[in-house]
Amino acid sequence: MIDKLDADLIALLTEEPRLGVFEASRRLGVARGTVQARLDRLQRSGVVKDFAPTIDSERLGYPVTAFVTAEVAQGDWRVTVVDHLSSIPEVLEVHTITGSGDLLIRAVARSNADLQRVIDRIVGGPGITRTSTVIALATTIDHRSVPLVQSAATDDNGEERRYG
C-alpha cells in the first residue's frame, strides 16, 4: 500500500527521472533519508520496477505500431512461443488474454511493408496458428502510471492515505 508521499515521489520522478534524492527531498519537503527509504521500499516491493529511460520507438525509426492477436496451439506452448516472441526485437509486449485470441502482442515496424516482415516472423514461430492485426493510427494517451499511483494512494472514500 502506498500513501500520498509515495505517490508524490513517484509523480516527481516520472516527470523528472534524473532528479536526485537530495533535490526530490527538498521539493517534497521531507528528509533525504525519508526519500531514500521510500524509494528503497517501493523498489523492494516491486511497485517501482526500474529507472530505465523511456524509449520513443517512432523517433528510433519505428513509426508503425500494431497490435497482433495471436492464437496458439493448445498444450505446452508457453516456453516455445514466449522464447520465439522474445527473439523478435520489434515485439515490445506480449499479454495472455481472454476472448477470441490467446495473446495480445504490441509490435512496431519501420513501415507498413516492414510490418509484414514482423508479422511473418511472429507467425513463423512454433505454436502460433493464426493472427489478426490492427495498426494504431495515433496514440491519444501514451503509457502512463501517475494517475493510477495517485488513485492507489487514496482510500475507498477518496481520502489521501498518510503515513508517519
Side-chain angles (χ1 to χ4, degrees):
M1 195 175 309
I2 67 169
D3 64 5
K4 181 174 180 343
L5 179 57
D6 292 329
D8 290 347
L9 177 59
I10 291 169
L12 182 61
L13 293 176
T14 299
E15 187 176 313
E16 297 183 57
R18 296 177 65 169
L19 196 66
V21 172
F22 178 76
E23 182 61 20
S25 70
R26 190 185 70 72
R27 291 195 194 176
L28 294 170
V30 297
R32 186 188 98 36
T34 300
V35 169
Q36 188 64 61
R38 294 294 182 113
L39 276 177
D40 291 345
R41 182 178 49 80
L42 289 167
Q43 284 184 285
R44 261 193 326 276
S45 68
V47 170
V48 172
K49 290 170 48 173
D50 61 43
F51 293 95
T54 303
I55 304 302
D56 184 327
S57 56
E58 186 170 347
R59 291 180 186 259
L60 193 59
Y62 295 85
V64 177
T65 297
F67 296 91
V68 181
T69 303
E71 294 178 21
V72 297
Q74 298 306 302
D76 190 20
W77 58 268
R78 288 189 186 270
V79 172
T80 57
V81 171
V82 169
D83 284 350
H84 168 68
L85 294 173
S86 296
S87 74
I88 304 170
E90 295 87 356
V91 170
L92 303 182
E93 294 178 62
V94 179
H95 304 271
T96 57
I97 59 171
T98 62
S100 61
D102 299 304
L103 301 173
L104 181 63
I105 303 163
R106 183 167 68 102
V108 294
R110 295 183 185 277
S111 64
N112 287 347
D114 187 48
L115 178 59
Q116 183 63 58
R117 177 192 61 80
V118 173
I119 293 169
D120 289 345
R121 280 197 68 189
I122 291 170
V123 174
I128 296 180
T129 59
R130 179 179 304 156
T131 62
S132 173
T133 305
V134 294
I135 297 173
L137 299 177
T139 301
T140 53
I141 299 176
D142 209 351
H143 178 81
R144 63 190 186 140
S145 57
V146 171
L148 181 63
V149 170
Q150 291 168 334
S151 177
T154 61
D155 62 21
D156 293 337
N157 298 321
E159 297 293 320
E160 294 175 343
R161 284 193 191 96
R162 296 186 183 272
Y163 293 109

